[in-house]
């Protein structure tokens, strides 16, 4: 009898170990081979934003939207400091992140940009960042820019498809016309150096609409504008900057400043997420933009 109990205990213990390992495996197996990729300028935390525009009110709505639309990997702009980044990360338990600040050589200070990706789906292979300036390896402000600006990047492996891709996230200067033009040249050059002909997704707030041809044509000579190549008809407003407009619903191309540019990617769908909360409030002064895609 004792021998039987020992055998039974051993069997149950083994079964328990197998069951404990099963959830992660099932999550990965059941995940679609398509990617939901997004960009989201979440607006800095500032005391000048009051009422429903205050970060304390908005941050759960930002996280709720990300979870509701099930972003797989996405870029975030305008995190004023590590504290605001931590606010967001605390609400996004399924995600890992890479982030850098623009105000020192290590990227540990100043307004931050971040790349978030699902922990269970992606493996981080490489990461880095550079300044948008004439001296990209050194903390610096470029050309006629009002502020230091950066671009961060990761190389990720998708555990579902076993494919690897580069993901860039940036925030161009809001003042410097020359800076935006030269930043576009710099980024495309860096992509060529890092990724070559491999798969690339580049997202961000570029602070310029498509009619700013010097910026736009430089980027689209190498990468594709996901809105223009989507298999399905784009959804949501054309414009992505809402300026806290509560009543307005039609945002034109002149305020389309948030983009997802791609290389070796099939874009299935594209959407500017115009979702609101409360009494017609927006979670940020920018709408997030999401694509559903497959990598080649």
């Amino acid at each position: 009898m004792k021998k039987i109990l020992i055998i039974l205990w051993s069997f149950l213990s083994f079964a328990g170990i197998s069951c404990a390992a099963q959830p992660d495996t099932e999550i990965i197996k059941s995940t679609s081979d398509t990617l939901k990729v997004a960009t989201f300028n979440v607006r800095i935390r500032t005391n000048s934003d009051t009422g429903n525009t205050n970060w304390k009110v908005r941050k759960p709505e930002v996280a709720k939207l990300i979870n509701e639309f099930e972003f797989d990997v996405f870029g975030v702009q305008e995190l004023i400091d590590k504290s605001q980044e931590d606010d967001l990360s605390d609400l996004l338990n399924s995600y890992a992140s890479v982030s850098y600040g623009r105000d020192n050589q290590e990227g540990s200070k100043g307004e931050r940009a971040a790349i978030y990706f699902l922990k269970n789906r992606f493996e981080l292979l490489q990461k880095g960042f550079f300044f948008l300036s004439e001296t990209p390896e050194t903390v610096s402000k470029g050309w006629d820019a009002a502020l230091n600006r950066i671009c961060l990047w990761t190389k990720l492996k998708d555990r579902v498809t076993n494919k690897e891709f580069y993901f860039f996230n940036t925030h161009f200067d809001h003042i410097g016309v020359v800076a935006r033009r030269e930043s576009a040249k710099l980024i495309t050059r860096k992509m060529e150096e890092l990724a070559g002909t491999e798969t690339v997704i580049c997202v961000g707030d570029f602070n310029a609409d498509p009619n700013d041809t010097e910026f736009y044509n430089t980027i689209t000579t190498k990468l594709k504008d996901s809105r223009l190549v989507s298999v399905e008809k784009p959804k949501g407003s054309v414009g992505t900057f809402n300026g806290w407009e509560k009543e307005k619903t039609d945002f034109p191309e002149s305020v389309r400043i948030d983009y997802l540019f791609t290389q070796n990617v099939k874009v299935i769908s594209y959407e500017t997420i115009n979702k609101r909360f409360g009494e017609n409030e927006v979670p940020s002064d920018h709408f997030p933009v999401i694509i559903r895609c497959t990598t080649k």
Side-chain angles (χ1 to χ4, degrees), residues 23 45 84 105 119 244 254 266 296:
R45 183 194 66 240
Q84 187 178 11
Q105 189 70 26
K119 296 175 189 176
W244 300 121
S254 60
K266 179 181 179 181
K296 297 179 182 179

Side-chain angles (χ1 to χ4, degrees), residues 101-107 129-151 173 179 183 186:
R102 67 188 186 195
D103 286 348
N104 69 348
Q105 189 70 26
E106 296 75 30
F129 82 110
F130 53 91
F131 294 89
L132 301 182
S133 75
E134 299 94 326
T135 54
E137 308 309 321
T138 305
V139 57
S140 50
K141 182 168 62 176
W143 304 285
D144 59 345
L147 302 167
N148 292 356
R149 298 289 183 174
I150 61 172
C151 178
D173 198 68
S183 294
L186 175 62

Side-chain angles (χ1 to χ4, degrees), residues 3 54 94 109 137 185 233 260 271:
K3 184 176 181 180
N54 187 271
S94 299
K109 293 183 180 180
E137 308 309 321
K185 293 177 182 177
K233 183 179 179 181
L260 296 98
E271 181 177 359

Side-chain angles (χ1 to χ4, degrees), residues 182-234:
E182 296 301 323
S183 294
K185 293 177 182 177
L186 175 62
I187 281 182
T188 52
R189 187 169 73 248
K190 285 287 189 179
M191 286 177 187
E192 183 68 30
E193 292 172 3
L194 289 164
T197 58
E198 295 184 50
T199 299
V200 171
I201 301 172
C202 177
V203 311
D205 173 3
F206 290 81
N207 268 314
D209 68 65
N211 291 314
D212 184 342
T213 55
E214 291 196 66
F215 133 74
Y216 186 79
N217 291 349
T218 297
I219 296 284
T220 54
T221 295
K222 180 172 176 60
L223 306 178
K224 293 180 179 179
D225 182 344
S226 58
R227 181 179 177 85
L228 302 187
V229 298
S230 175
V231 174
E232 298 177 7
K233 183 179 179 181

Side-chain angles (χ1 to χ4, degrees), residues 42 55 59 62-63 66 74 76 79 83-93 114 116:
V42 297
W55 174 243
K59 64 182 178 181
V62 168
I66 290 166
F74 60 101
V76 173
L79 296 163
S83 175
Q84 187 178 11
E85 181 187 354
D86 289 344
D87 282 348
L88 185 59
S89 296
D90 288 346
L91 296 169
L92 298 173
N93 296 325
Y116 283 82

Side-chain angles (χ1 to χ4, degrees), residues 237-242 245 248-253 255 276 287:
S237 66
V238 179
T240 61
F241 178 72
N242 61 62
E245 291 274 3
K248 189 174 180 180
T249 57
D250 183 22
F251 295 88
E253 187 173 70
V255 289
R276 303 186 178 242
F287 293 121

